Amino acid sequence: MTPTTETMVGIGGAAESTDMVLNIGPQHPSTHGVLRLKLVLDGERITRAEPVIGYMHRGAEKLFEARDYRQIIMLANRHDWLSAFSNELGVVLAVERMLGMEVPERAVWTRTLLAELNRVLNHLMFLGSYPLELGGITPIFYAFTEREELQHVMEEVSGGRMHYMFNRVGGLKEDLPAGWTTRARTAVADVRSRMDRFDDLVLGNEIFRGRTRGVGALTPQAVHAYGVSGPIARASGVDFDLRRDEPYLAYGELGDVLKVVTREEGDCLARFECLLEQTHNALDLADACLDRLAELPPGPINQRLPKVLKAPEGHTYAWTENPLGINGYYLVSKGEKTPYRLKLRSASYNNIQALVELLPGTLVADMVAILGSMFFVVGDIDK
């Protein structure tokens, strides 16, 4: 007799508790990049979340090993396309540290100025796009209006709109155009005069506050466990900012202007508030840098380099407070004209991991609010 197998299929009440796996993406949501979220749902509630990354991976860390120290600036420029100047900065600081190179004072202050202008450009994108993801379309138009004002001065000084390629090992590509500091000061003042649109229009909106207050709270313990940094970490009460705690460039002389913005709640609203208040402070820092540049005597903006630049054998780690968090470059040299190894620690890569802890237990409707408040660029995750 042929053996038979019996299968019992239950239908009815048991089916109601069946988990559903839902894929969010991969698609290209606005400018943040191609991300996929794999969610396990129990009804409308998320029980498990897994960010699936790698759709934009370029292998930049391996490409670093086949480019010389001038060419790698271009590769590092692109992973966070909203923070291009800051990305360049981390690379050149690492190489300069390996070389033991002193950078001219004008270059130090100009780098600090441009880094803060780049910070404002980065933050404005998220100040506009986050309300858009929650259904408010108006702020994105205001954000792009302010971005254009600053983009004009950044484009004038560097020649680029997104990928500035203005940093060089030893300083900057060239000196500032005649009259540029006056135009930059005017742009900063104009943007500052209209920032109350975000204070009033967004923070003053009861729908926005209802969608973000108490939603997606990230604990300080989770911040430390996942290596979260930047405005997201400070919104959870983690009071750490490299510009103040391990100063680089000219930040050591800007302690009276630099304000490290923190909140205790750790929710979506706190993250937005930190980002907005940090934008105000970046404009103040830019003004302080312009004041200092006006006092400096004429001088060089860079160091003269040999035709073939080689870093001595050894290793170093340089980290900077990028707009989205801590960016680190671990550089290993064998004394050649190319890095033996250049490892990138990007802010978005660590920040996005916290979704594994943030999303379970929340509603699908709140997933969009939480995801948008993490302020990431997917190219910065995938590298």
Side-chain angles (χ1 to χ4, degrees):
M1 184 177 176
T2 306
T4 59
T5 303
E6 290 185 0
T7 303
M8 184 174 293
V9 179
I11 300 176
E16 296 175 2
S17 63
T18 303
D19 289 341
M20 178 175 74
V21 178
L22 178 67
N23 277 295
I24 306 295
Q27 74 266 6
H28 197 294
S30 185
T31 58
H32 301 323
V34 184
L35 177 69
R36 174 186 168 205
L37 281 180
K38 184 180 177 182
L39 307 179
V40 178
L41 306 180
D42 182 4
E44 285 290 309
R45 200 164 293 278
I46 299 170
T47 59
R48 193 164 70 251
E50 178 190 356
V52 182
I53 65 173
Y55 292 96
M56 301 184 68
H57 183 55
R58 298 179 299 118
E61 292 176 328
K62 293 304 291 182
L63 292 173
F64 285 144
E65 300 171 13
R67 305 291 189 275
D68 66 35
Y69 287 106
R70 291 179 174 90
Q71 295 170 325
I72 61 175
I73 298 172
M74 179 274 295
L75 289 171
N77 181 292
R78 282 157 167 73
H79 56 89
D80 175 0
W81 44 80
L82 297 178
S83 310
F85 186 87
S86 301
N87 298 338
E88 301 170 11
L89 195 56
V91 173
V92 296
L93 289 176
V95 179
E96 287 163 4
R97 185 174 297 176
M98 289 285 285
L99 293 167
M101 180 181 290
E102 288 288 332
V103 176
E105 189 176 14
R106 281 182 60 79
V108 171
W109 281 96
T110 306
R111 280 177 171 179
T112 310
L113 165 63
L114 295 176
E116 290 306 311
L117 291 179
N118 192 196
R119 192 181 308 276
V120 177
L121 284 168
N122 174 288
H123 290 357
L124 280 171
M125 176 62 78
F126 291 103
L127 292 174
S129 67
Y130 185 41
L132 178 65
E133 290 160 2
L134 296 180
I137 193 172
T138 307
I140 193 70
F141 296 115
Y142 288 136
F144 269 88
T145 299
E146 310 313 328
R147 276 176 56 84
E148 281 302 306
E149 185 105 13
L150 294 176
Q151 285 283 28
H152 286 318
V153 294
M154 293 293 282
E155 186 176 5
E156 181 187 357
V157 75
S158 67
R161 280 185 63 82
M162 283 188 69
H163 305 299
Y164 305 110
M165 281 302 298
F166 197 54
N167 276 290
R168 295 293 185 272
V169 176
L172 294 167
K173 176 187 173 186
E174 56 198 8
D175 210 342
L176 304 174
W180 181 86
T181 53
T182 301
R183 291 186 287 278
R185 193 184 294 276
T186 301
V188 168
D190 288 347
V191 172
R192 180 188 287 109
S193 69
R194 295 188 291 264
M195 284 299 293
D196 60 345
R197 291 169 169 175
F198 299 98
D199 293 292
D200 301 335
L201 184 66
V202 182
L203 281 182
N205 186 290
E206 61 183 28
I207 298 175
F208 179 83
R209 298 183 76 87
R211 290 292 306 276
T212 56
R213 185 193 282 119
V215 175
L218 185 65
T219 65
Q221 293 76 19
V223 167
H224 294 303
Y226 288 95
V228 175
S229 59
I232 301 173
R234 291 191 284 274
S236 295
V238 178
D239 188 5
F240 181 72
D241 190 313
L242 282 175
R243 297 174 296 170
R244 179 199 63 194
D245 300 322
E246 288 197 22
Y248 57 98
L249 294 183
Y251 289 114
E253 299 181 47
L254 291 169
D256 56 336
V257 182
L258 175 63
K259 179 183 177 184
V260 180
V261 183
T262 60
R263 293 288 187 277
E264 297 297 327
E265 296 82 3
D267 56 9
C268 296
L269 180 60
R271 290 191 277 273
F272 187 86
E273 288 177 342
C274 277
L275 200 74
L276 179 55
E277 199 169 331
Q278 191 167 289
T279 308
H280 284 286
N281 187 238
L283 292 168
D284 294 338
L285 288 167
D287 265 341
C289 291
L290 286 165
D291 291 340
R292 178 64 175 174
L293 281 171
E295 299 170 358
L296 291 178
I301 200 77
N302 51 35
Q303 294 275 24
R304 296 194 64 178
L305 299 176
K307 188 174 182 180
V308 178
L309 180 64
K310 295 183 178 181
E313 189 169 347
H315 60 92
T316 190
Y317 183 73
W319 56 350
T320 57
E321 187 68 43
N322 269 34
L324 296 180
I326 293 174
N327 236 44
Y329 290 93
Y330 179 60
L331 171 63
V332 181
S333 172
K334 294 288 188 179
E336 302 295 331
K337 66 178 182 179
T338 62
Y340 175 75
R341 188 79 173 94
L342 186 52
K343 174 67 178 174
L344 168 62
R345 187 265 191 223
S346 64
S348 298
Y349 181 78
N350 284 72
N351 291 353
I352 205 69
Q353 293 181 87
L355 289 173
V356 175
E357 183 147 331
L358 271 182
L359 291 179
T362 64
L363 297 171
V364 175
D366 289 331
M367 182 271 298
V368 177
I370 296 170
L371 184 63
S373 74
M374 296 307 286
F375 309 132
F376 61 88
V377 170
V378 179
D380 200 39
I381 301 170
D382 290 347
K383 296 174 280 186

